[in-house]
Amino acid sequence: MNSHFKFLRAAISRVLVFAFSISVVARAQEHRQTLCIGRTHGIHAEPTTFGLKLAGWAFELERGRERLRSALERMRVGKLSGAVGTYAATDPELERLACERLGLEPEPVSTQILQRDRHAELLAALAVLAASIERFALELRHLSRTEVAEVAEPFGRGQKGSSAMPHKRNPVVAERLCGLARVVRANALVGLENVALWHERDISHSSAERVVIPDSFLVLDYMLDKLAWLVEGLEVRPERMLRNLEAGHGLFFSQRLLLALVESGLSRDDAYRTVQRHALRAQGEEQDFRELVRADKEIAGRVDLDSVFDLGWYTRHVDTVFERLAALAGREEPVHV
């Protein structure tokens, strides 16, 4: 039992430290200017950079860390207030001294137990963090698809992707993370169910807590370790990202053109219909949107198309985000339980 407690304590420490977020920041910096297509609703939208995707992950992980720190801090309470919290059999001073010795604060009002909203908050914080990891893993799964192929999981020499099809290289670790996130989320539901107890105490909560609290920390420790492995060894394919970007026939320039036409004095509705007409034709006939637009003398005479079709426009403020990322990385400190 003691060795199990030490293992759990180590897992909690590792979950709090999130040392692997340094790897996320490093790979984000590596790909801060690596162009790729952004997607909304699964459809090509406008260009972004792969580094910006990873920068978003780093900030989300930091929010997860802060939620967890805050929830654990609210768990640092204790009680020695008697059978129903009235101090009938002891003195409040004894509770104060005992809690001080243990590094805890006395629960302001307790019953026979500590109120379980604290435990529910902790499990919810773990579930949100697991959901974030699932979001990252799901993104990698999509980008690994054959039709996309912008990234690939690390693949060792002699590793098999499929027992039946030798060509397969499946995103199995990312899939595993998505599955484990469901376990941690389900555990959070147990925490919420444990809040409502009968009167000053029943014991319906305790048996479940002995399972879901340690399991959630242990699973999340594993998930963070595997995500670190994924990020550090991830095969990123900038050439494929550019091919996919260009496969959209330049349609991502549609908003830039729309705004330029509006600035030239055209009503927004007329500008939208003009741009949409060329966009739908480029999409339906698989023609280059830029060439169709340049052939339209009405448009070419109103706006500077070289400026409109400038890819650099989409990344001109990337450095602003990475200045924020550098500040985030600079304030990371190890945390010990």
Side-chain angles (χ1 to χ4, degrees):
M1 188 69 178
N2 188 46
S3 62
H4 179 75
F5 176 76
K6 289 181 179 178
F7 186 57
L8 175 59
R9 187 185 182 93
I12 295 173
S13 295
R14 286 193 297 269
V15 167
L16 275 171
V17 172
F18 285 15
F20 102 94
S21 61
I22 298 171
S23 302
V24 177
V25 172
R27 300 231 60 184
Q29 291 283 8
E30 178 186 350
H31 292 286
R32 65 192 296 171
Q33 292 291 340
T34 301
L35 274 174
C36 61
I37 192 66
R39 298 171 176 89
T40 58
H41 305 277
I43 307 299
H44 282 204
E46 290 187 336
T48 181
T49 77
F50 190 66
L52 278 175
K53 284 181 184 282
L54 296 178
W57 296 8
F59 281 101
E60 188 166 341
L61 285 168
E62 180 59 23
R63 292 193 296 274
R65 189 202 322 252
E66 288 304 318
R67 288 188 198 99
L68 192 51
R69 280 175 170 166
S70 179
L72 279 168
E73 187 59 33
R74 274 187 283 276
M75 289 286 291
R76 291 183 183 276
V77 294
K79 58 85 61 183
L80 286 171
S81 58
V84 294
T86 61
Y87 299 99
T90 187
D91 190 282
E93 180 64 9
L94 177 62
E95 179 185 71
R96 186 190 69 78
L97 291 171
C99 286
E100 184 179 278
R101 177 75 64 88
L102 295 170
L104 306 174
E105 293 290 329
E107 174 68 77
V109 179
S110 59
T111 60
Q112 193 174 120
I113 59 168
L114 301 172
Q115 286 79 8
R116 257 42 197 175
D117 62 290
R118 298 179 185 274
H119 304 69
E121 181 186 19
L122 176 61
L123 286 164
L126 292 168
V128 172
L129 180 53
S132 293
I133 295 173
E134 181 183 20
R135 183 176 83 83
F136 311 152
L138 192 63
E139 178 74 8
L140 295 179
R141 286 172 62 189
H142 168 71
L143 296 179
S144 300
R145 292 168 57 199
T146 304
E147 297 85 350
V148 182
E150 294 181 3
V151 303
E153 282 192 5
F155 201 76
R157 183 183 296 275
Q159 182 177 338
K160 292 181 179 179
S162 164
S163 60
M165 295 169 283
H167 73 279
K168 297 276 281 180
R169 184 171 172 178
N170 301 326
V172 292
V173 174
E175 291 174 341
R176 193 183 309 158
L177 293 178
C178 290
L180 289 173
R182 299 167 189 167
V183 174
V184 183
R185 278 200 299 275
N187 287 351
L189 178 59
V190 175
L192 293 171
E193 295 283 353
N194 284 344
V195 173
L197 303 174
W198 284 21
H199 309 299
E200 279 63 54
R201 186 200 183 187
D202 67 50
I203 61 169
S204 60
H205 64 287
S206 58
S207 57
E209 284 173 358
R210 292 188 186 106
V211 176
V212 297
I213 292 177
D215 278 8
S216 293
F217 273 106
L218 293 170
V219 169
L220 204 49
D221 178 36
Y222 176 83
M223 291 175 71
L224 286 166
D225 181 67
K226 286 303 174 185
L227 187 57
W229 176 84
L230 271 176
V231 171
E232 291 172 2
L234 189 68
E235 180 183 326
V236 181
R237 299 165 175 168
E239 298 81 7
R240 180 65 182 224
M241 291 178 179
L242 283 176
R243 282 172 56 192
N244 288 342
L245 187 148
E246 287 297 332
H249 310 295
L251 287 167
F252 56 79
F253 285 115
S254 69
Q255 181 180 224
R256 289 273 296 134
L257 180 59
L258 169 65
L259 296 177
L261 287 171
V262 172
E263 289 173 4
S264 76
L266 206 60
S267 73
R268 196 179 193 284
D269 189 59
D270 288 341
Y272 191 97
R273 293 180 184 279
T274 298
V275 175
Q276 186 183 52
R277 183 176 73 252
H278 290 299
L280 292 176
R281 184 184 172 194
Q283 191 174 49
E285 300 177 8
E286 296 193 1
Q287 294 193 50
D288 190 279
F289 175 70
R290 290 158 289 195
E291 293 179 4
L292 293 177
V293 170
R294 289 186 186 280
D296 188 326
K297 294 181 180 180
E298 182 181 352
I299 296 178
R302 298 186 70 101
V303 300
D304 179 1
L305 292 178
D306 288 338
S307 175
V308 168
F309 297 145
D310 178 14
L311 261 178
W313 182 269
Y314 296 99
T315 58
R316 70 192 193 285
H317 295 309
V318 164
D319 288 345
T320 300
V321 174
F322 278 88
E323 287 170 8
R324 299 169 186 163
L325 185 64
L328 172 70
R331 68 172 183 258
E332 284 191 358
E333 296 179 0
V335 178
H336 303 285
V337 178

